[in-house]
Amino acid sequence: MWIDCHCHTKHSYDNWLEPVDLIRRAKALGLDAVCITEHYSYEASEPVEQVGRDEGLLVLRGVEVATDRGHMLAYGVEDDGWNIWGRNNYLPINEVVEHINGLGGICVPAHPFREIGLSSLLEGLLDLSGIAAVETHNGGNLDSDNGLAISAAAHMRLPSLGGSDCHKTEAVGRCATEFLQPVTDMKSFIAAVRAGACRGRYFPGYMQAALAA
């Protein structure tokens, strides 16, 4: 099954993407589910879960965390109590990973080779411990940045994830994750990642839609 594991809507407050437009685009492309990872807040994605139920598409939820060494996708938290630092930016990356793991969740560096200033992870990824996987395919990245992430994940012997990092309808599904065992909720999502039963890819349905347009 295919899941776009890195999606944003207007509830991230940096775009105008309506949740229903995201969900309908994902269904049209043939995705089986999406994971909403709004910036800073897990609770911000709650309205999207209901839209998914209304539209008949599985919606999972995580959060994109802004650390002092790049962005981190956290899956498996249940509320915004995960954030014990009292701010939203430049959270200490090693403490974030340790804390999320302690809550039973998993951490996955997002677009690790995209340069976003002094807080970029880049080659520091290779020295980072405690992460469950690497986002190797990000729809907002240059292909060369994804290539570096693919090589790093292989070197670290970690599973890979893919996500569109969408902030507009047209970006939904450019990259996604192929899961090799069923995912029906966040518990089974995390179990599949921990088992290595997933791989980030450029989503074939997106490419087919682009060719047909």
Side-chain angles (χ1 to χ4, degrees), residues 5 22 27 38 49 54 63 72-73 79 124 143 145 160 170 178 182 197 205:
C5 294
L22 185 156
K27 287 184 66 176
E38 307 291 24
E49 196 169 28
D54 293 342
V63 59
M72 186 72 65
L73 299 171
D79 54 39
D143 289 347
D145 292 341
S160 62
E170 296 79 10
E178 184 180 18

Side-chain angles (χ1 to χ4, degrees), residues 5-6 37 63-65 71-75 106-110 135:
C5 294
H6 184 171
T37 53
V63 59
E64 185 168 6
V65 182
H71 291 183
M72 186 72 65
L73 299 171
Y75 305 101
I106 59 172
C107 287
V108 179
E135 185 185 59

Side-chain angles (χ1 to χ4, degrees), residues 79-195:
D79 54 39
D80 282 341
W82 68 266
N83 189 345
I84 58 174
W85 293 273
R87 63 184 192 276
N88 287 328
N89 284 297
Y90 304 107
L91 304 187
I93 192 168
N94 292 320
E95 291 181 24
V96 168
V97 172
E98 181 179 7
H99 184 59
I100 297 297
N101 287 345
L103 293 174
I106 59 172
C107 287
V108 179
H111 45 74
F113 288 93
R114 183 193 300 173
E115 293 199 44
I116 52 175
L118 296 176
S119 62
S120 300
L121 187 55
L122 304 177
E123 288 80 5
L125 170 65
L126 301 176
D127 300 318
L128 188 60
S129 61
I131 57 175
V134 175
E135 185 185 59
T136 56
H137 292 70
N138 179 289
N141 267 4
L142 298 172
D143 289 347
S144 57
D145 292 341
N146 285 338
L148 291 171
I150 292 167
S151 296
H155 176 77
M156 299 172 77
R157 297 184 179 179
L158 287 173
S160 62
L161 293 186
S164 65
D165 199 358
C166 61
H167 289 73
K168 58 183 180 180
T169 308
E170 296 79 10
V172 176
R174 180 178 180 236
C175 294
T177 306
E178 184 180 18
F179 281 84
L180 308 178
Q181 62 188 49
V183 172
T184 58
D185 53 20
M186 184 50 66
K187 182 178 179 180
S188 54
F189 177 99
I190 290 175
V193 174
R194 285 177 171 160

Side-chain angles (χ1 to χ4, degrees), residues 13-33:
Y13 302 106
D14 63 348
N15 69 87
W16 300 102
L17 179 53
E18 291 288 346
V20 69
D21 293 334
L22 185 156
I23 299 300
R24 290 175 180 173
R25 173 68 171 169
K27 287 184 66 176
L29 292 174
L31 287 164
D32 298 296

